Amino acid sequence: MLELTKTIYKGASFLVSKTDASYLFTPEDFTDEHKMIGRTARQFIEKEVAPYSEEIENQNFDLVVKKLRKAGSLGLLAHSIPEAYGGLGLDKISKGIVGEMIGPSGGYGAAHSNHTCIATLPITYFGTEEQKKKYLPKMASGEYIGAYCLTEPNAGSDALSSQTTARLNEEGTHYILNGTKLYITNAAFSDTFIIYAKVDGDHFTAFIAEKGFPGLTLGPEENKMGIKGSSTRSVILEDCLIPAENLLGEIGKGHAIALNVLNLGRFNLGSACMGAAKYGFKKAVQYTGERKQFGKTIAEFPATKEKVAKMAARIFAAESIQYRTAGLLEEALGDLYETNDRNTVSKRLSEFAAECAICKVFGSETLDYVADEALQLFGGAGFIKDYGIEQVYRDSRINRIFEGTNEINRLLIPTHLFRKTLKGDLNLKTKVHEAMLQLQNPESSPYTGPLSSERERIDLIRNLFLVCSGLAYDSFGANLADEQETLMRLADLAIGLFAAESAVYRTIKAVEKNGKENEAVKIGLAEAFLEEVMWDAERLSRTLVSQLTADDHSRQLQKLIIRECTRLQASDNNFLRNRSIADYQNEHGEFSS
Amino acid sequence: MNIYVLLKRTFDTEEKITLSNGKINEDGAEFIINPYDEYAVEEAIQVRDAHGGEVTVVTVGNEEAEKQLRTALAMGADKAVLINIEDDVENGDQYTTAKILSEYLKDKDADLIIGGNVAIDGGSGQVGPRVAELLDIPYITTITKLTIEGQNVSVVRDVEGDSETIETQLPLLVTAQQGLNEPRYPSLPGIMKAKKKPLDELELDDLDLEEDDVEAKTKTIEIFLPPKKEAGRVLQGDLADQVKELTGLLRTEAKVI
């Protein structure tokens, strides 16, 4: 379904080189089928799930399972399963669209996404022919619901420190597993469990367990802050017997499955968060359009408009990175439905690990931001359950924690780049040198055409990232992994860069097609977002420079950063721009670009 | 059974209608299958599934309507026909549409034709009955239940909230009222299959029609939006004064008495 110019794009290349709008997949590139898929998924949530939200919130899991099966009958669980195994084998754009539409449904959405992503993908990409035949058709239809069991009491972010063990019985027919898995989504009603354990206490390996396997029991239901409609329990393995043929992938290669599948999980989580953010935004816009104080609707106050504009700008950026990443993933994974070559699968799944981590971090923080501001705009009503925004706020919070905390994901982003440098895949030194030169002697008006000054600002953010990365690399070398304060800030620069670049180049692509006048809304949103990223980039890079360089050099470099940021930061009519963004959103009653 | 559905592409019910240069502004608007026609599509699919045959969805419009036809195909219809009048007809009305549809349908041996009871944009409710008249077959409007046994048909229709049961025979044209069924939305497999289903495009030429043959019988003089709803007013004071003020306002402001 996706037609893009094939690029030679490598993962995380946005950190070191400029992009081209024509390489970017954007929501404006959706096909008619993409739109129809989106409409079906949205209708499913609006008609089949939303009206039952109270029952779902009260953990009527039979109903949740019924809804999952209904989703299965509509194909909403089958998009990422190959046609040969009862699925639809759709592209990653469609996966992203379904993820976005399911996003607003809180606990149901968590159950749904958990099933289609991390519970199913290990089998899709690493299963044997027999395993795929046995499990995938049932997972596509919803007859089987799946869980993914990685976390343990003593192995959270450090997943590979797992204490669950597996050993082959004497007959060689079964593996015997012992250990406890914690916080397992969908546990109460799952039929399959992807379980990670160390064979002979040493070799990290994945297994497929089924409900009812001897020795597999569930702990009590956890009492959670949010996403209550999804079940969360521990999975206890006491001499649990798993048939030898249910070993997934290879012995000692469980990490390749565990971590690579999480990449797609993180991408999907970003989509779901963006969808949920749009939902929270819509509720806020509608409420503030009705509620009156001082004789005016809340929406009419400029302070509200500024909030609305900032939320909309962030949602626009989140949407831009999700579909850009969807396009990249499709390029890397689109032709892998048929392959059995696990090394290729692992390599391609991890190619865009940094982008997927950004989707996760940026999406979940966008949702948290929007949920918080939306609740605030409801005033006292925001604190009352009946108005529904309180649930958005509670459901949002977990997204910054699961599928790799945002902190772990942040660390992963610059580390990805440094690893490439150490391996010799990338000449960071040259890139840093070029960035420094551009910072010192900027070319005047390097671009023509739409959004040329925005493009300059994107280049500046990249140069700031590169210069700071160079300083970090020079200061710490191989010990950089221990310098987490530095890595966190580099990650924030990288996230801002990817998000702003995605928003700006998406807008450029749209303007090139439809003209500036017809795309005024996107231009406003891209500029509003870029303004925030520019302030962040200045602060982050100055902080890093001050910590990574000696006094004299530091002062010089700081001056340079201030000069360049001031030169390029747009200034004159930002307040008015934000008001008009809000006017447009208010008129539409929901996020619109 | 040979089943035809008459379908119209209309504004999304959530769209705000705005005017520019005396016409309804379509820029950037979302379009959908006319909701009453969705009932028609659903009913046609159900009748086909129960009695066999084929469902063909027909629309008169421009190429934009292809999207709505594809949606009907994704719901489960077998074939779609777009009669594209963009280059031939500038100002059509219900007569135009009915004439074109009946010319298309006259040699199709349709057993059952289903349309929506009314389109949510024009709201005339005329196209279905006019097509039936031109084809010289019976028609029943605003139906809420359809039962077919052999050639015999039993229909319940909504009559201003009451219901009326009518028995008749095929061939027949009916128009769907809310409550007839709960339209399905397309499944993802349905959406993918719809891409491969036949969607034919015809023009007036293909139906041996001239522009004059379908010239509108009505003329639109002016298009205007309903007046903006003003905020309500609560009258204060003695009851007698309030009544006095109210009657005054009804005379001078509302001008209804």
Side-chain angles (χ1 to χ4, degrees):
Chain A
M1 288 165 87
L2 172 66
E3 279 178 42
L4 265 185
T5 335
K6 278 274 171 193
T7 61
I8 45 159
Y9 256 162
K10 290 280 189 301
S13 65
F14 71 94
L15 291 172
V16 292
S17 42
K18 296 177 189 185
T19 193
D20 185 323
S22 61
Y23 291 148
L24 215 63
F25 189 85
T26 72
E28 290 67 54
D29 301 317
F30 285 168
T31 62
D32 287 344
E33 283 80 31
H34 286 143
K35 289 179 194 164
M36 268 200 252
I37 288 170
R39 212 168 295 137
T40 288
R42 193 179 62 216
Q43 283 184 318
F44 167 70
I45 292 299
E46 284 174 359
K47 291 185 183 167
E48 301 282 346
V49 179
Y52 304 94
S53 81
E54 203 178 319
E55 275 179 80
I56 291 172
E57 190 72 355
N58 289 331
Q59 308 206 309
N60 179 346
F61 292 144
D62 289 344
L63 182 69
V64 173
V65 171
K66 213 173 119 195
K67 295 301 171 189
L68 284 166
R69 301 238 158 91
K70 173 79 188 180
S73 75
L74 288 167
L76 292 169
L77 305 177
H79 47 76
S80 299
I81 292 176
E83 281 185 281
Y85 304 103
L88 296 166
L90 299 182
D91 60 15
K92 296 293 170 266
I93 317 298
S94 306
K95 179 180 174 64
I97 291 171
V98 174
E100 175 185 340
M101 296 306 170
I102 301 296
S105 60
Y108 171 81
H112 183 119
S113 293
N114 183 83
H115 170 71
T116 58
C117 278
I118 54 180
T120 303
L121 293 172
I123 303 175
T124 309
Y125 284 117
F126 296 94
T128 61
E129 184 68 31
E130 289 71 32
Q131 289 167 345
K132 290 188 206 176
K133 269 191 195 150
K134 183 170 180 195
Y135 293 108
L136 292 182
K138 290 178 175 167
M139 300 188 89
S141 69
E143 186 184 338
Y144 275 7
I145 304 299
Y148 177 88
C149 314
L150 180 62
T151 298
E152 296 180 13
N154 294 311
S157 295
D158 186 9
L160 303 187
S161 71
S162 159
Q163 291 168 337
T164 301
T165 59
R167 72 182 158 81
L168 196 62
N169 64 2
E170 279 171 17
E171 299 81 9
T173 55
H174 288 78
Y175 280 92
I176 303 166
L177 270 72
N178 280 287
T180 300
K181 296 289 177 178
L182 206 57
Y183 307 144
I184 304 308
T185 304
N186 287 356
F189 47 79
S190 270
D191 302 279
T192 63
F193 299 82
I194 304 293
I195 297 181
Y196 296 91
K198 284 184 173 164
V199 173
D200 301 330
D202 215 14
H203 309 287
F204 195 67
T205 306
F207 296 88
I208 310 169
E210 286 182 37
K211 180 175 75 181
F213 276 8
L216 188 154
T217 52
L218 303 178
E221 189 65 34
E222 303 285 355
N223 188 0
K224 301 191 295 286
M225 171 183 176
I227 58 163
K228 286 170 184 275
S230 70
S231 163
T232 306
R233 298 186 180 199
S234 54
V235 172
I236 302 153
L237 307 157
E238 286 170 312
D239 289 334
C240 172
L241 288 176
I242 297 182
E245 67 266 22
N246 276 25
L247 188 143
L248 185 60
E250 290 163 52
I251 293 179
K253 296 250 175 99
H255 61 282
I257 303 176
L259 304 181
N260 286 327
V261 162
L262 278 177
N263 287 325
L264 280 178
R266 286 165 183 165
F267 158 72
N268 190 71
L269 187 143
S271 293
C273 285
M274 181 259 290
K278 284 183 181 174
Y279 173 72
F281 180 80
K282 181 177 178 177
K283 282 184 85 73
V285 165
Q286 291 180 345
Y287 183 80
T288 54
E290 285 164 15
R291 164 89 175 161
K292 283 186 174 171
Q293 287 291 280
F294 304 105
K296 283 200 268 187
T297 64
I298 302 294
E300 286 174 88
F301 293 97
T304 306
K305 290 187 184 184
E306 187 164 31
K307 283 184 192 289
V308 167
K310 284 188 176 181
M311 283 192 275
R314 239 197 114 105
I315 292 171
F316 180 69
E319 194 182 62
S320 306
I321 65 168
Q322 283 307 133
Y323 290 106
R324 176 185 186 178
T325 306
L328 294 173
L329 289 171
E330 177 58 17
E331 216 173 272
L333 301 171
D335 56 351
L336 286 191
Y337 277 133
E338 307 301 329
T339 186
N340 285 315
D341 174 1
R342 294 193 182 112
N343 283 335
T344 308
V345 168
S346 293
K347 205 164 163 274
R348 303 260 200 100
L349 278 170
S350 60
E351 181 67 44
F352 293 104
E355 285 83 351
C356 290
I358 293 178
C359 286
K360 198 269 172 183
V361 173
F362 192 81
S364 60
E365 290 177 10
T366 297
L367 174 55
D368 242 18
Y369 170 69
V370 171
D372 185 68
E373 286 288 58
L375 189 146
Q376 187 70 14
L377 287 170
F378 268 74
F383 210 63
I384 309 296
K385 273 186 189 281
D386 295 352
Y387 291 84
I389 198 74
E390 168 267 359
Q391 192 189 332
V392 176
Y393 184 84
R394 280 187 297 104
D395 287 347
S396 164
R397 193 60 183 81
I398 186 61
N399 291 293
R400 281 167 53 200
I401 299 169
F402 62 13
E403 309 231 0
T405 63
N406 283 16
E407 289 69 26
I408 289 289
N409 274 283
R410 278 193 160 83
L411 293 175
L412 190 149
I413 298 163
T415 310
H416 194 75
L417 182 76
F418 292 125
R419 205 174 290 145
K420 282 193 167 184
T421 308
L422 283 170
K423 267 174 38 189
D425 287 353
L426 173 79
N427 190 341
L428 185 64
K429 214 169 180 163
T430 315
K431 293 284 179 188
V432 171
H433 183 66
E434 285 168 8
M436 193 60 161
L437 285 180
Q438 278 176 32
L439 215 53
Q440 286 165 335
N441 305 303
E443 198 184 332
S444 69
S445 318
Y447 296 109
T448 53
L451 285 88
S452 50
S453 95
E454 285 77 3
R455 289 166 107 162
E456 264 188 273
R457 273 175 266 165
I458 298 295
D459 289 347
L460 172 61
I461 299 167
R462 181 180 298 104
N463 288 337
L464 292 174
F465 170 80
L466 283 168
V467 166
C468 292
S469 297
L471 292 174
Y473 198 69
D474 289 347
S475 303
F476 305 117
N479 298 324
L480 188 54
D482 297 328
E483 299 299 324
Q484 296 192 335
E485 304 90 333
T486 300
L487 291 173
M488 290 293 175
R489 284 173 177 79
L490 288 175
D492 282 336
L493 275 169
I495 294 167
L497 169 61
F498 190 62
E501 184 183 73
S502 303
V504 166
Y505 278 77
R506 169 187 176 183
T507 304
I508 291 171
K509 191 173 186 182
V511 169
E512 279 170 353
K513 193 174 164 209
N514 302 322
K516 225 173 157 175
E517 277 172 21
N518 292 318
E519 296 295 357
V521 178
K522 287 193 187 70
I523 294 173
L525 290 167
E527 283 183 349
F529 182 70
L530 185 56
E531 184 197 342
E532 298 297 319
V533 174
M534 281 287 285
W535 289 121
D536 290 343
E538 181 173 346
R539 179 176 47 78
L540 289 162
S541 54
R542 286 181 57 194
T543 308
L544 284 170
V545 164
S546 75
Q547 299 305 308
L548 296 174
T549 55
D551 279 358
D552 270 4
H553 189 202
S554 170
R555 259 194 297 276
Q556 256 183 335
L557 205 44
Q558 300 254 15
K559 266 191 200 162
L560 202 58
I561 292 170
I562 296 170
R563 186 193 78 191
E564 283 305 285
C565 288
T566 311
R567 183 174 72 87
L568 292 174
Q569 179 70 289
S571 57
D572 45 0
N573 60 354
N574 295 353
F575 288 173
L576 290 177
R577 175 203 62 212
N578 284 353
R579 285 186 191 184
S580 73
I581 289 174
D583 289 341
Y584 182 85
Q585 302 300 327
N586 285 330
E587 194 184 315
H588 279 254
E590 62 184 335
F591 173 78
S592 174
S593 66
Chain B
M1 194 176 301
N2 202 4
I3 310 161
Y4 283 83
V5 176
L6 314 180
L7 179 145
K8 186 175 188 184
R9 166 182 182 262
T10 59
F11 263 65
D12 193 326
T13 43
E14 286 176 23
E15 284 296 332
K16 272 194 189 129
I17 307 291
T18 56
L19 300 182
S20 70
N21 299 325
K23 283 189 171 166
I24 294 168
N25 194 359
E26 295 195 353
D27 287 348
E30 290 287 326
F31 287 84
I32 54 170
I33 296 177
N34 174 43
Y36 292 97
D37 300 349
E38 263 187 357
Y39 300 123
V41 175
E42 176 63 37
E43 197 64 18
I45 293 169
Q46 288 185 17
V47 170
R48 179 205 60 197
D49 289 350
H51 301 273
E54 198 175 64
V55 175
T56 307
V57 183
V58 193
T59 195
V60 175
N62 60 29
E63 63 178 17
E64 289 293 320
E66 232 187 271
K67 291 195 180 90
Q68 283 66 40
L69 290 175
R70 284 273 175 228
T71 304
L73 292 173
M75 286 170 76
D78 302 289
K79 296 197 294 194
V81 176
L82 165 63
I83 306 174
N84 191 339
I85 57 166
E86 192 163 25
D87 299 333
D88 297 322
V89 181
E90 207 171 322
N91 296 306
D93 66 0
Q94 297 78 23
Y95 171 78
T96 311
T97 308
K99 177 76 185 165
I100 294 169
L101 285 171
S102 62
E103 281 301 310
Y104 168 77
L105 287 163
K106 69 179 182 194
D107 56 0
K108 297 291 183 291
D109 289 327
D111 297 300
L112 179 66
I113 302 171
I114 316 181
N117 135 57
V118 70
I120 58 161
D121 51 6
S124 77
Q126 288 188 24
V127 171
R130 279 178 181 272
V131 168
E133 284 292 334
L134 289 165
L135 293 174
D136 198 22
I137 60 171
Y139 69 87
I140 305 170
T141 57
T142 59
I143 72 162
T144 55
K145 193 172 179 212
L146 176 69
T147 319
I148 300 173
E149 272 172 54
Q151 290 298 107
N152 296 325
V153 184
S154 168
V155 167
V156 178
R157 71 181 291 262
D158 170 49
V159 192
E160 311 267 326
D162 284 330
S163 44
E164 176 182 16
T165 305
I166 299 173
E167 293 191 344
T168 179
Q169 291 213 312
L170 297 177
L172 173 71
L173 184 147
V174 292
T175 69
Q177 171 68 307
Q178 191 173 5
L180 177 60
N181 52 45
E182 183 60 43
R184 71 194 70 192
Y185 32 94
S187 69
L188 270 54
I191 292 168
M192 302 318 288
K193 271 185 219 147
K195 278 207 308 195
K196 293 167 198 146
K197 290 181 180 175
L199 193 159
D200 291 336
E201 192 174 328
L202 302 176
E203 293 189 10
L204 289 192
D205 271 359
D206 302 308
L207 300 171
D208 288 328
L209 282 170
E210 300 293 327
E211 286 162 49
D212 293 347
D213 300 332
V214 299
E215 199 184 335
K217 299 285 186 196
T218 56
K219 208 163 121 190
T220 301
I221 310 295
E222 193 192 348
I223 293 177
F224 54 91
L225 293 172
K228 261 208 173 137
K229 199 177 169 230
E230 301 284 336
R233 205 189 308 172
V234 181
L235 302 178
Q236 309 271 346
D238 285 345
L239 201 57
D241 290 343
Q242 284 188 44
V243 170
K244 213 169 173 188
E245 196 182 348
L246 180 63
T247 50
L249 287 170
L250 288 172
R251 276 211 179 82
T252 58
E253 208 167 278
K255 294 183 179 139
V256 290
I257 49 176

